[in-house]
Amino acid sequence: MRLSIPILLTVLFGSSVHAETPASVEPFDTCPSKAFLFQSSPSKVYGVNLVTGGYSTLAETTGLNTHINAVGFNQSDRYIYGFDYDNEVVIRIGQNYVGEQLTVNGLPNNTKFISGDVHDQIYYLHRRELGIIKIDLSPLESDPSATLTATTLDTDLNNLRTSDVAINPIDGNLYAVNNNSYNLYRVDLETGDSDMVYSLVADIGPPSGGFGAVYFDVDGNFYISRNDDGKIFRIDLSNEDDIDDKNLEAVLFASGPISGQNDGARCANAPIIDEDSTIDFGDAPDSYKTLLASNGPRHEVDSGFYLGSIAPDSEGDGFTSPLDDNKAGLADEDGVGFVTALEVGNTSLVSVQASTAGYLSAWIDWNQDGDFQDTGEKVFSDSLLTSGINSLSIAVPAGATIGSTWSRFRFSEASGLDYFGGATTGEVEDHPVTIMENGSSLRYYPSESGYATIAFEDNWPKEGDYDLNDVVFKFRITETLDENSAITRVLIQGYLSAYGAGYHNGFAFRLGGINRSDISSASTLTHNSVLQESNGLESDSNEAIFIVSDDLKQKLPAGCMYYRTAQHCQEALVFEFEIDVYFNEGTDTSSLMTMPYDPFIFATPGAYVRDGLWYNPGRGLEIHLADQAPTEQFDTYWLGWWSDSSDPATSRYFKTSSNHPWALLIPDEWSWPREHVDLVEAYPEFAGYAESGGENNLQWYLLEKATENKYYLSEE
């Protein structure tokens, strides 16, 4: 929990309607996204992060030495308005949490209001016996000392026992929960008509305490904070049809502060993410409840509770394909390692590193149905970890589905966490995992969790600007082997890192040594976690060639011309793929070429191919790694033209006379040259590496050997 330094004031106001206004009573600079919570008597002011339930003290006092209730935020003048419960006057509070009293005519005598909110320059006060009182705040715009007038809105809310109310920025209606019944009511602020729109009992149980602080966000989500246990529930009230049809649900969203004297205010037109917050989210597909809109798991960072050796960085929301936490920021998903494979019917060993003592809960989607809801999918429940490495075991069910699935690990000082919802401390790590048959083993390229980089210069057979950033992919491969060490499955995963090409290019993998007829129809291709109709296997080739995409330009966002190659072009990753290859029964895979197989690009059929070519070879123009023979689709006419010095008789392909290749494979993550920067200018040691045929300068690609300001540096 982060603590801010409250502004402590000792100025006390007497019983007169107008005390001298302190000079520091100034409006807020913006529409804050934090939720304000007033507690105790005299009231203290807290800032609540509704996303996680974390809170911090904003002010120990408002200078009024009184109990403040019925607070609401006025977006028009950016003040908090409230009711001085002890002196029975209306007040307003500025950005330094200093209060001033206002003059209001027409307020009922000897009446204490405990619930209220502000909307469209009207301050609404509610009390069960009276209904709703309206106060027009607009005269304060021209005269900060103006006398305001209270009027009564006729309504049938006389029996509503509520501790706070809030106004929905979507439909302009007031909403409140009856503490005695847990029924949710809606009030039309034009007519005063009210109706019961939903019973919360089925979702959160029978009444067990009032909701002293309620809030809205800009998307029409209604947050209700229960005094007795601090639990914060969320109800989506953005759709009028759903409200009318009572198609609603109250979900546990986070756990906040406990108090018997709560009242809340919030700028309802602000997004829910606190502008000062730092939050760690998950990155599994959203069917597992990952995004904030799905009430995905989230933890406040900088708490000292985390997994692995690297503390988590913060995100604005959960990441889903093609992004994940490691791609977008620090590679902090380092806390969980599977020591042994997840084999059906066996026990797997898992190594979990904790920063300090705390509780771990974890889930695995055994049946691959896209959720963690099924019986037995919670594999750890509040397991107490010690600081450092913890060895744990997971029993893999006999009925677990073979193949790729997802896991979720949550670590915190708090127990009782589900696979969704907010927490004030800790970290969530989502990891893809593979369920294997008993006796199987795995083999990786370049490693289990790392990526190799392949980069292409697409001007072949001309050398061009030789910036090697026309097409850049990062990828990794996992082979599954049976008890006889025969390959039974190939999983290729990757994402487009950069595209500086002006031409249209496709990207593919050839599994050399295997025929198309050896590939099972169970093989699949996914783009951004979406299963494609075709598995990508090229239909008019005898070889096993998987087309990832035949036109990568169509995958690019509409922003920068040079996607992630010009330094100013800090576009998000937009394209991820996965090829899951199974072989027909009886296939001899011993002839399969070694990883990383044969990744290559080709000219998109029908698009403009290359400057200087006097006919269009289309799919026949391929660019492979140095000395890799092209596929059967290749047009051999162009071998040896211009800068190319290929010689099939000596198995020399796709190299210049100086041994410069048109494609590079780096078995690690790599920062490619910026647009129009020659590779040798960005990485001077590459020249010696190429000219020696790869004998010298083997680590030419390391960042410390690069020329400053010549390579692309992601600022994510």
Side-chain angles (χ1 to χ4, degrees):
M1 180 188 310
R2 297 175 310 282
L3 295 178
S4 60
I5 300 175
I7 299 186
L8 303 179
L9 300 166
T10 57
V11 180
L12 299 179
F13 294 86
S15 58
S16 62
V17 174
H18 279 295
E20 183 179 352
T21 301
S24 56
V25 179
E26 298 291 340
F28 287 85
D29 293 329
T30 62
C31 174
S33 58
K34 65 170 61 69
F36 298 102
L37 181 68
F38 289 71
Q39 280 189 348
S40 307
S41 180
S43 291
K44 296 181 180 181
V45 187
Y46 297 89
V48 180
N49 186 334
L50 292 177
V51 179
T52 64
Y55 62 100
S56 59
T57 303
L58 299 176
E60 293 286 350
T61 176
T62 61
L64 296 176
N65 195 33
T66 187
H67 177 199
I68 299 170
N69 232 314
V71 291
F73 189 91
N74 184 14
Q75 184 180 359
S76 297
D77 62 11
R78 302 189 306 282
Y79 281 103
I80 298 172
Y81 289 81
F83 193 79
D84 181 332
Y85 194 83
D86 297 333
N87 298 306
E88 299 178 6
V89 295
V90 174
I91 63 170
R92 71 175 180 178
I93 297 169
Q95 65 177 339
N96 288 341
Y97 309 106
V98 177
E100 61 177 331
Q101 297 175 337
L102 303 174
T103 302
V104 181
N105 290 335
L107 281 176
N109 294 325
N110 302 317
T111 302
K112 299 178 183 295
F113 292 94
I114 63 171
S115 58
D117 200 8
V118 180
H119 182 69
D120 284 346
Q121 285 280 61
I122 305 294
Y123 181 32
Y124 296 88
L125 290 166
H126 171 264
R127 186 171 177 86
R128 184 164 58 97
E129 300 85 357
L130 298 173
I132 293 178
I133 303 296
K134 299 170 57 176
I135 304 172
D136 184 1
L137 302 174
S138 58
L140 297 174
E141 289 185 336
S142 57
D143 181 6
S145 300
T147 298
L148 306 177
T149 301
T151 59
T152 301
L153 175 66
D154 291 332
T155 182
D156 55 359
L157 285 178
N158 293 354
N159 293 320
L160 177 63
R161 187 180 293 274
T162 185
S163 300
D164 197 13
V165 298
I167 299 170
N168 189 343
I170 302 294
D171 61 21
N173 291 323
L174 180 146
Y175 289 83
V177 176
N178 191 322
N179 293 335
N180 290 342
S181 64
Y182 276 13
N183 289 335
L184 174 64
Y185 286 84
R186 171 178 58 180
V187 183
D188 186 320
L189 293 176
E190 294 293 329
T191 66
D193 295 337
S194 66
D195 59 330
M196 195 280 284
V197 295
Y198 191 62
S199 172
L200 308 181
V201 172
D203 298 333
I204 65 178
S208 59
F211 296 95
V214 302
Y215 314 88
F216 269 100
D217 68 19
V218 69
D219 297 316
N221 291 303
F222 187 42
Y223 302 85
I224 56 177
S225 176
R226 189 158 57 190
N227 291 2
D228 291 0
D229 56 14
K231 289 183 177 179
I232 301 171
F233 299 91
R234 184 178 72 173
I235 309 164
D236 183 354
L237 297 177
S238 62
N239 187 290
E240 185 176 356
D241 291 337
D242 287 340
I243 299 171
D244 291 339
D245 296 338
K246 295 182 170 55
N247 182 28
L248 304 173
E249 183 183 13
V251 297
L252 179 62
F253 194 69
S255 293
I258 300 171
S259 174
Q261 294 179 321
N262 273 358
D263 203 74
R266 186 177 186 276
C267 182
N269 283 308
I272 190 60
I273 294 289
D274 190 306
E275 69 272 18
D276 298 324
S277 69
T278 49
I279 303 170
D280 173 61
F281 287 87
D283 47 17
D286 195 40
S287 66
Y288 293 100
K289 293 186 183 292
T290 297
L291 299 177
L292 182 60
S294 303
N295 195 17
R298 56 215 182 263
H299 299 255
E300 287 193 39
V301 302
D302 300 329
S303 66
F305 288 81
Y306 57 89
L307 294 168
S309 59
I310 302 174
D313 52 12
S314 57
E315 301 99 35
D317 203 344
F319 289 115
T320 56
S321 178
L323 287 172
D324 63 40
D325 194 3
N326 280 349
K327 294 174 190 171
L330 293 174
D332 55 40
E333 305 290 285
D334 64 338
V336 178
F338 288 87
V339 180
T340 58
L342 291 168
E343 296 182 351
V344 170
N346 280 355
T347 297
S348 173
L349 297 180
V350 183
S351 175
V352 181
Q353 183 178 357
S355 63
T356 185
Y359 295 98
L360 176 77
S361 291
W363 299 260
I364 297 180
D365 179 14
W366 295 124
N367 61 2
Q368 299 178 30
D369 66 345
D371 62 53
F372 297 121
Q373 300 181 65
D374 302 294
T375 302
E377 292 191 334
K378 189 174 188 179
V379 295
F380 299 126
S381 181
D382 293 335
S383 296
L384 182 60
L385 303 185
T386 59
S387 176
I389 302 295
N390 296 260
S391 294
L392 306 171
S393 61
I394 297 175
V396 183
T401 303
I402 303 296
S404 301
T405 190
W406 279 90
S407 65
R408 171 164 291 163
F409 291 78
R410 297 190 71 180
F411 175 68
S412 176
E413 66 177 329
S415 59
L417 297 184
D418 213 326
Y419 65 90
F420 54 86
T424 54
T425 64
E427 182 180 9
V428 53
E429 288 192 3
D430 291 345
H431 293 277
V433 295
T434 301
I435 312 301
M436 302 166 55
E437 292 182 354
N438 193 357
S440 298
S441 59
L442 299 177
R443 190 162 56 195
Y444 304 101
Y445 178 87
S447 64
E448 179 179 3
S449 59
Y451 287 91
T453 304
I454 188 163
F456 296 90
E457 173 63 44
D458 76 343
N459 277 304
W460 187 90
K462 295 181 179 180
E463 196 167 11
D465 57 8
Y466 206 65
D467 51 16
L468 266 291
N469 63 17
D470 293 328
V471 178
V472 183
F473 269 92
K474 295 188 179 180
F475 71 97
R476 60 182 173 220
I477 303 174
T478 303
E479 291 181 341
T480 301
L481 292 78
D482 64 17
E483 62 275 11
N484 298 316
S485 298
I487 300 170
T488 60
R489 180 193 183 208
V490 169
L491 182 66
I492 308 174
Q493 300 165 299
Y495 59 94
L496 180 63
S497 289
Y499 196 91
Y503 301 126
H504 290 252
N505 295 293
F507 182 57
F509 275 85
R510 173 172 57 176
L511 274 59
I514 298 293
N515 294 322
R516 183 181 185 279
S517 59
D518 295 325
I519 303 300
S520 168
S521 60
S523 301
T524 60
L525 171 67
T526 61
H527 290 172
N528 295 347
S529 296
V530 177
L531 185 67
Q532 302 300 291
E533 290 185 9
S534 167
N535 62 16
L537 189 61
E538 192 167 47
S539 59
D540 58 349
S541 292
N542 294 317
E543 298 174 290
I545 299 172
F546 285 87
I547 305 297
V548 174
S549 171
D550 60 9
D551 190 357
L552 295 172
K553 252 190 182 308
Q554 300 301 318
K555 307 297 183 184
L556 303 181
C560 301
M561 178 182 298
Y562 301 112
Y563 174 68
R564 296 168 61 88
T565 62
Q567 189 60 33
H568 68 273
C569 189
Q570 293 289 324
E571 296 279 355
L573 298 173
V574 293
F575 179 62
E576 180 180 57
F577 74 91
E578 180 176 288
I579 307 172
D580 199 353
V581 182
Y582 292 88
F583 302 97
N584 289 324
E585 188 173 353
T587 297
D588 180 8
T589 56
S590 62
S591 58
L592 175 63
M593 66 190 306
T594 58
M595 295 184 287
Y597 314 135
D598 177 22
F600 65 95
I601 63 172
F602 58 91
T604 299
Y608 180 79
V609 182
R610 301 292 184 270
D611 293 336
L613 302 190
W614 46 88
Y615 73 90
N616 191 335
R619 170 67 180 83
L621 194 156
E622 299 176 349
I623 301 173
H624 294 254
L625 290 166
D627 293 334
Q628 173 61 60
T631 77
E632 62 191 84
Q633 300 287 345
F634 182 72
D635 188 341
T636 58
Y637 176 82
W638 296 105
L639 290 176
W641 280 95
W642 287 298
S643 305
D644 182 59
S645 66
S646 296
D647 180 10
T650 60
S651 298
R652 180 184 179 90
Y653 293 99
F654 301 104
K655 292 194 294 190
T656 70
S657 58
S658 300
N659 286 331
H660 287 186
W662 274 267
L664 283 174
L665 177 68
I666 296 104
D668 203 344
E669 306 214 24
W670 179 60
S671 296
W672 48 91
R674 293 184 186 180
E675 192 62 34
H676 301 312
V677 174
D678 188 283
L679 175 64
V680 176
E681 184 180 357
Y683 289 89
E685 290 191 9
F686 175 76
Y689 171 83
E691 290 164 6
S692 68
E695 296 290 332
N696 301 329
N697 300 348
L698 298 182
Q699 294 184 312
W700 65 267
Y701 58 86
L702 296 180
L703 200 58
E704 59 261 31
K705 296 179 179 294
T707 304
E708 190 175 0
N709 297 323
K710 296 297 183 180
Y711 56 86
Y712 179 83
L713 181 63
S714 174
E715 297 172 7
E716 295 170 333

